[in-house]
Amino acid sequence: MPSLDSLKCRRSLEVAGKTYHYYSLPDAAAQLGDISRLPTSLKVLLENLLRWEDDVTVRSDDLRSLVSWLQTRSSDQEIQYRPARVLMQDFTGVPAVVDLAAMRDAVARAGGDPQKINPLSPVDLVIDHSVMVDRFGSDQAFEQNVEIEMQRNGERYEFLRWGQQAFDNFSVVPPGTGICHQVNLEYLGQVVWTREENGETVAYPDTLVGTDSHTTMINGLGVLGWGVGGIEAEAAMLGQPVSMLIPEVIGFRLSGKLNEGVTATDLVLTVTQMLRKHGVVGKFVEFYGPGLDHLPLADRATIGNMAPEYGATCGFFPVDQITIDYLRLTGRNEERIALVEAYSKAQGMWRDSNSPDPVFTATLELDLAQVQPSVAGPKRPQDRVTLGDIGANFDLLLETGGRKQQADTSVEVKGENFHLKHGAVVIAAITSCTNTSNPNVLMAAGLVAKKAVERGLKRQPWVKSSLAPGSKVVTDYLERAGLTRYLDQLGFNLVGYGCTTCIGNSGPLPDAIGQAITDNDLIVSSVLSGNRNFEGRVHPLVKANWLASPPLVVAFALAGTTRINMDREPLGYDGQNQPVYLKDI
C-alpha cells in the first residue's frame, strides 16, 4: 500500500535522465522540525516510517518521536520498521524455506493456489556455513573439501535449489562461492534500493535484516542492517514489520590515520575493547569525524562486522565519497552509483568534511594514530593484548590454571619428529568475513608469506594452516599479485570459501597431535583472523584462541607458538642460521 504521506513530502529526483520518486526528509523536516543533526542511522528509520505511514502500524506520532529524540537523545517509543530485504545463510535459512513449503502445502489442501505463497521482500540465501577444513596444506584441499561438503549436505542443497526455482523473490548463492556478508558487501548491497510502484520508480535506503549476527558488516557501506532470529526474519520476508524501540545512538569519533604496519584488525580490536567497556548493548553505534576521510571502506566493513562483539545492534558509517569509490571499484552499475550520490545528498545523508557533527546519546573518541598491533584472547574478543605482550599473557594463563610448573614440559608426538609444548599453535587460519573482505590485510598476509619464503622460513609442522576467504575476488587478486604460491608454500592453501574455522568448522587435528594434547592435557593455541574465540568454539581440544590479522596469522604459523614476544624474539632462522624477526618480513 502507498504511504498516506500526511506531510506531503513525496518528491521526484532526476538522475541520469531517469525520474525517481522518494520521500523527502528535508520537506518532512519543514513540518516536523530541524533534523539536520539527527544521526544518519535514525534518518534512515525516519524515511522508513514516512514511506510506510498507514495510520495503523505507522502513525504521525511515530514520525514526531524521531524528531523529539534530538531533545532527550533517547526514546521509549516503539516503532514498526520494515527492512527492504532479508539475508540468510544456509543453516538458518533452511527452516524458512521449509515453512514456505509447508504454507504452500496448507494452501493446496485448502483448495487454493499454492503459487501465491512467495516472499514479499527480496531474500538472498548464501550457502557458506557448511564447509569444513577436512583437508589442508595441499593444492587439492579445496576440491576435496567441496566434495566432502556436497556428500554431507547433498539432500539439503537439493532442497534449497528447489526453493530457488519454486519461489519468486528468493535467490540462492551456491556453495563454494563465498561468505554471505562478503557477498552482500561486494555484490548484493546497493545503498539505495528501488522498486516499481504504480508505474513509478521509488527510491529508498537499502536496509535489511539477516539470520546471522554479522549482517552488520554491510553497515560499512552505509546500509543499515543487523542480525535477527529466524522468526523475525521470516516475518520480514513476508512483509511484516520489525517492532523496535527507537534506539540510543552512541557516536564514535575517529581522527588521524593509522600508522604503517597497523591493520584494520588492530583497529577493530581496539574499537571492540572501548565499546564493550562503555556498554552499547541494544544501541546503535555511528562513526563520524575527520578520521573517516582516511579510512578505506574495507576497514569500515571490518569495524561494522564486529558489532556483535562490541555488543551493539549495528556499527553504522554514513555514505560519502569513499562509499561511491567502492561501489565503482566493485563494478556496480553507473546509474545506481549516480543515484546513490544524488539521493544521499538530497536526503541530507551525505557525509563530507564540512558536515556538522550529529547529536548523539553519548560519544567516544579514538585517534587512529594511537592504535597498536594487537591480538585478542585467549577467550573473549574484547580482551585485547598488544602483540609484544601475548607471551606474558599466556604465561599468566598457565599460572592461573595451576600449570606454571609445567610451562616448559615438552611432549613427544608419536610418529613425528617434533615435540609439543603449552602455547603451541596447532591451528592458524586466515578465515572469516571480518577480515577476508579486506584487501589490505589479505595482501599483507601474502607479502609476509613471500618475504618469509625468501628468507627460508617454514610453517612449523604441528600447525594446521588454512586459507578460507570470503569470496573468489580474494583468490583472484592474490593470484594476479603473484602471492598465492608463497602462501601455498607455507601451507596456507585454499581450503574453501566459507566461514570454516571461525564458526568451529576447523575440522580434525592430525590424530597424533590430538592424542598428544589429550594425553598430556596441554593448553594449546589457535590463531585466526575471525571474530569469536570462546573456549571450545574453534576446536574442542584448543583452549586458548587468539584473534589476529591475516599477516599475524602467517607469522604465528612460522613461530609455532604464542609464548613469544614478536617485538624482540625471532620467528625463526634463515639458511645462514641468522634470526628473522617479524619486522624483517
Side-chain angles (χ1 to χ4, degrees), residues 14 78 87 90 115 117 190 251 296 338 428 471 486 494 544 573:
E14 296 288 332
E78 188 172 303
L87 179 71
D90 48 318
Q115 300 304 313
I117 300 297
Q190 299 297 322
S471 84
Y486 299 106
L494 176 69
Y573 294 84

Side-chain angles (χ1 to χ4, degrees), residues 86-91 93-94 96-97 100 119 122-128 149-150 156-178 180 183 188:
V86 178
L87 179 71
M88 294 183 174
Q89 41 97 333
D90 48 318
F91 276 2
V94 166
V97 185
L100 285 172
V123 178
D124 293 291
L125 187 150
V126 183
I127 298 174
D128 63 352
E149 178 188 2
M150 296 303 292
R156 189 158 56 95
Y157 290 173
E158 286 179 16
F159 175 66
L160 290 175
R161 174 177 285 183
W162 168 84
Q164 172 160 301
Q165 296 168 344
F167 297 106
D168 298 332
N169 247 5
F170 180 79
S171 67
V172 177
V173 177
T177 301
C180 62
V183 172
L188 304 178

Side-chain angles (χ1 to χ4, degrees), residues 48 362 543 566:
N48 195 273
K543 297 180 180 180
M566 286 193 177

